[in-house]
Amino acid sequence: QVQLVESGGGLVQPGGSLRLSCAASGNILSINAMGWYRQAPGKQRELVAVIRSDGSTNYADSVKGRFTISRANAKNTVYLQMNSLKPEDTAVYYCNANGHLISGSFFKEYDTWGQGTQVTVSS
């Protein structure tokens, strides 16, 4: 299995910043993409940002210009720098990773989610 451990969530005031991190561990052969999703109460989970193995990225329109996703491949870690936070950014943020892992004498695909970390933006 591949396990994702998230950190960096918390309570911040509007306009503040947070940096989320997600570290992947396990018998990882490759990571195709890592991304961040979020889910607010009563709403569906939505894509926030994703970074692929070629370095390309995608962002939700609501966070463009404020959030930046980056990757440290040597540590199988992805970061989400969140600036100019707004109350509407309040949600549980989930890390996702997919790629290939080593399983016995073979490799197979994986698609793994973290446990989620709470981000609350409030005065």
Side-chain angles (χ1 to χ4, degrees), residues 85-117:
L85 283 162
K86 304 174 181 180
E88 49 263 45
D89 295 318
T90 296
V92 177
Y93 284 69
Y94 297 91
C95 181
N96 172 264
N98 65 81
H100 291 84
L101 57 79
I102 300 172
S103 179
S105 300
F106 304 93
F107 65 90
K108 63 180 181 180
E109 295 181 344
Y110 67 86
D111 191 339
T112 301
W113 292 88
Q115 80 287 348
T117 184

Side-chain angles (χ1 to χ4, degrees), residues 31-115:
I31 298 175
N32 182 58
M34 297 185 72
W36 290 94
Y37 295 72
R38 67 186 182 187
Q39 187 168 23
K43 299 179 65 176
Q44 294 187 0
R45 188 173 299 187
E46 64 176 352
L47 174 71
V48 177
V50 62
I51 185 166
R52 304 176 186 87
S53 59
D54 64 1
S56 62
T57 59
N58 287 98
Y59 295 92
D61 288 341
S62 59
V63 307
K64 286 181 178 177
R66 299 189 297 120
F67 291 10
T68 303
I69 189 168
S70 60
R71 183 185 65 211
N73 286 335
K75 300 179 68 174
N76 293 328
T77 301
V78 67
Y79 304 95
L80 185 67
Q81 179 66 46
M82 304 186 294
N83 298 325
S84 302
L85 283 162
K86 304 174 181 180
E88 49 263 45
D89 295 318
T90 296
V92 177
Y93 284 69
Y94 297 91
C95 181
N96 172 264
N98 65 81
H100 291 84
L101 57 79
I102 300 172
S103 179
S105 300
F106 304 93
F107 65 90
K108 63 180 181 180
E109 295 181 344
Y110 67 86
D111 191 339
T112 301
W113 292 88
Q115 80 287 348

Side-chain angles (χ1 to χ4, degrees), residues 22-35:
C22 174
S25 62
N27 294 327
I28 299 171
L29 180 63
S30 65
I31 298 175
N32 182 58
M34 297 185 72

Side-chain angles (χ1 to χ4, degrees), residues 3-25:
Q3 184 175 354
L4 304 179
V5 178
E6 299 145 323
S7 62
L11 173 65
V12 296
Q13 294 184 345
S17 297
L18 284 174
R19 190 178 77 159
L20 306 182
S21 64
C22 174
S25 62

